[in-house]
């Protein structure tokens, strides 16, 4: 069953189309990774799904045929900007947000304790949020969103700016939520996180979907691609000329350079490596080491969206 169905979603800001005729579905129990460069349309999309923005065009339906008005109590939102009150304790924060969904009495007390325990904050429940570390605040942010046991949780970069231990704890908590039947839409700039926890992936750029599907299937699409990584030394280097020469080799699809390493993207059947090495020698480039790998999800993402900085 679809928890969310988005059809022909469009949102414009004056002359800028932030989301351009986007359609996709999220099935019950999925963790959908919604990724894209800065300004791609991710935040606008999740703000429309969570009812914070009204679309210019398109339809958003929950559980096949319900509107946001009739379904919003089933949704939890973990915003990128912390939505907690620093002068309230952890328990007071969670109780406040849970009460907005109609929880009260013993049921409220029980579910507040459960959510604080699930994010590892029950022992600090009486401590004011302003004294929490960055990771603890992020976990409290999640607790406030899950206490009413929503069917769908939208998480907008929930691990930004925290330590690795807190990040790992949050990722494990998300997996547990999925095992309990919760559906999650997850945005992140950390592609290794997306690869670890998301079973579905949607890449958006310039307001349009450029790739979507099961994470394993997307990686399988690129199984016939390889990356030849060459570490090198060179006193002088005209990268543009080197790149142009290597790109002329049949089977090479992309060449980039970082930290004294060439990353040469090529098809699996490309075996003309001698020509690559001869070109490097012609430019007086000394080869230190060579590595041959299958592209990661991050490398697939960069090949589709480009490597230039986005503000």
């Amino acid at each position: 069953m679809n928890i969310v169905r988005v059809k022909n979603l469009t949102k414009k800001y004056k002359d800028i189309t932030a989301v351009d005729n986007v359609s996709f579905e999220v099935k019950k129990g999925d963790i959908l990774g919604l990724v894209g460069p800065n300004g791609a349309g991710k935040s606008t999309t999740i703000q429309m799904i969570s009812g914070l923005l009204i679309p210019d065009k398109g339809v958003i339906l929950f559980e096949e045929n319900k509107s946001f008005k009739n379904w919003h109590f089933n949704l939890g939102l973990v915003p990128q900007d912390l939505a907690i009150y620093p002068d309230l304790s952890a328990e007071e924060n969670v109780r406040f947000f849970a009460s907005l969904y109609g929880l009260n009495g013993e049921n409220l007390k029980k579910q507040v304790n459960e959510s604080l325990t699930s994010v590892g904050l029950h022992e600090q429940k009486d401590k004011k949020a302003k004294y929490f570390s960055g990771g603890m605040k992020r976990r409290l942010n999640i607790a406030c969103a899950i206490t009413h046991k929503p069917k769908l949780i939208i998480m907008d970069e929930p691990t930004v700016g925290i330590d690795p231990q807190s990040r790992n704890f949050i990722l494990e908590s998300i997996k547990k939520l999925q095992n309990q039947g919760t559906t999650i839409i997850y945005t992140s700039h950390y592609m290794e996180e997306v690869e670890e926890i998301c079973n579905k992936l949607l890449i958006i750029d310039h307001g349009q979907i450029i790739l979507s599907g099961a994470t394993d299937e997307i990686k399988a699409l690129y199984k016939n691609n390889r990356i030849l990584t060459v570490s090198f030394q060179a006193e002088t280097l005209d990268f543009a000329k080197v790149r142009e020469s290597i790109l002329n080799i049949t089977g090479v699809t992309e060449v980039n350079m970082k930290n004294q390493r060439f990353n040469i993207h090529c098809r699996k059947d490309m075996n003309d490596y001698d020509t690559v090495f001869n070109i490097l020698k012609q430019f007086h480039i000394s080869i230190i080491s060579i590595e041959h790998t299958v592209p990661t999800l991050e490398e697939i993402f960069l090949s589709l969206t480009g490597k230039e900085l986005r503000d």
Side-chain angles (χ1 to χ4, degrees):
M1 179 182 70
N2 290 328
I3 287 291
V4 184
R5 181 160 61 89
V6 172
K7 187 175 181 181
N8 306 125
L9 203 61
T10 300
K11 184 67 179 179
K12 294 184 178 181
Y13 298 103
K14 295 184 179 180
D15 296 330
I16 299 174
T17 302
V19 176
D20 188 5
N21 201 40
V22 163
S23 299
F24 63 92
E25 298 172 348
V26 186
K27 295 190 179 299
K28 185 179 187 302
D30 278 347
I31 302 181
L32 173 71
L34 177 60
V35 298
N38 290 332
K42 305 185 303 297
S43 293
T44 300
T45 299
I46 62 176
Q47 285 174 4
M48 287 188 284
I49 295 173
S50 57
L52 299 176
L53 279 178
I54 299 174
D56 294 328
K57 295 180 183 177
V59 176
I60 304 171
L61 294 175
F62 299 90
E63 291 186 314
E64 306 297 351
N65 58 9
K66 297 174 184 175
S67 67
F68 179 81
K69 181 180 179 180
N70 297 322
W71 201 82
H72 69 280
F73 277 91
N74 294 298
L75 189 146
L77 176 63
V78 181
Q80 181 178 348
D81 295 326
L82 292 170
I84 55 177
Y85 291 97
D87 287 321
L88 296 182
S89 69
E91 182 178 23
E92 289 168 338
N93 266 283
V94 178
R95 287 179 67 89
F96 169 75
F97 285 102
S99 67
L100 298 179
Y101 290 91
L103 272 67
N104 54 57
E106 286 301 313
N107 188 37
L108 172 61
K109 182 178 180 180
K110 175 177 177 290
Q111 293 189 206
V112 167
N113 285 334
E114 284 182 4
S115 63
L116 286 170
T117 300
S118 70
V119 298
L121 290 177
H122 193 267
E123 296 299 318
Q124 290 83 25
K125 67 178 183 178
D126 296 322
K127 188 174 181 180
K128 289 186 177 181
K130 64 183 177 182
Y131 299 119
F132 281 5
S133 67
M136 292 169 71
K137 289 176 181 177
R138 288 285 166 192
R139 284 149 50 198
L140 179 57
N141 211 33
I142 293 173
C144 292
I146 66 175
T147 307
H148 62 293
K149 298 189 182 300
K151 295 180 180 180
L152 171 67
I153 303 174
I154 298 175
M155 295 186 167
D156 190 5
E157 300 194 42
T159 64
V160 65
I162 62 173
D163 59 274
Q165 290 84 357
S166 293
R167 176 177 290 118
N168 289 338
F169 190 96
I170 288 174
L171 295 181
E172 289 302 317
S173 298
I174 292 171
K175 292 176 187 176
K176 289 177 182 177
L177 287 168
Q178 183 192 33
N179 290 336
Q180 294 165 7
T182 308
T183 305
I184 297 161
I185 297 176
Y186 188 90
T187 79
S188 177
H189 282 105
Y190 302 113
M191 293 303 294
E192 68 273 16
E193 288 184 2
V194 173
E195 191 163 5
E196 179 179 347
I197 67 170
C198 298
N199 64 304
K200 298 289 179 63
L201 181 67
L202 190 154
I203 300 177
I204 187 171
D205 199 11
H206 302 295
Q208 296 182 326
I209 296 172
I210 58 175
L211 187 65
S212 65
T215 307
D216 289 342
E217 291 174 359
I218 288 173
K219 291 165 68 176
L221 287 174
Y222 289 80
K223 68 180 180 180
N224 289 327
N225 292 14
R226 294 292 184 270
I227 298 177
L228 183 67
T229 301
V230 181
S231 299
F232 67 90
Q233 284 184 339
E235 292 185 6
T236 59
L237 177 64
D238 188 337
F239 173 66
K241 288 185 177 180
V242 176
R243 181 176 183 273
E244 182 181 1
S245 297
I246 296 175
L247 280 173
N248 285 329
I249 301 172
T250 301
V252 174
T253 58
E254 179 58 81
V255 180
N256 57 68
M257 181 181 71
K258 183 179 181 181
N259 300 330
Q260 296 293 99
R261 291 159 66 99
F262 287 114
N263 292 312
I264 302 168
H265 295 246
C266 52
R267 294 196 303 267
K268 182 179 179 180
D269 57 1
M270 201 285 282
N271 53 19
D272 194 7
Y273 299 123
D274 287 343
T275 302
V276 174
F277 303 144
N278 287 334
I279 288 173
L280 297 179
K281 290 178 182 178
Q282 289 171 16
F283 285 93
H284 307 290
I285 296 169
S286 300
I287 297 172
I288 297 174
S289 65
I290 300 166
E291 186 179 1
H292 206 209
T293 58
V294 176
T296 64
L297 199 58
E298 181 169 355
E299 288 160 338
I300 294 170
F301 173 79
L302 290 173
S303 72
L304 291 169
T305 61
K307 299 173 178 61
E308 294 81 9
L309 286 173
R310 307 270 187 102
D311 295 322

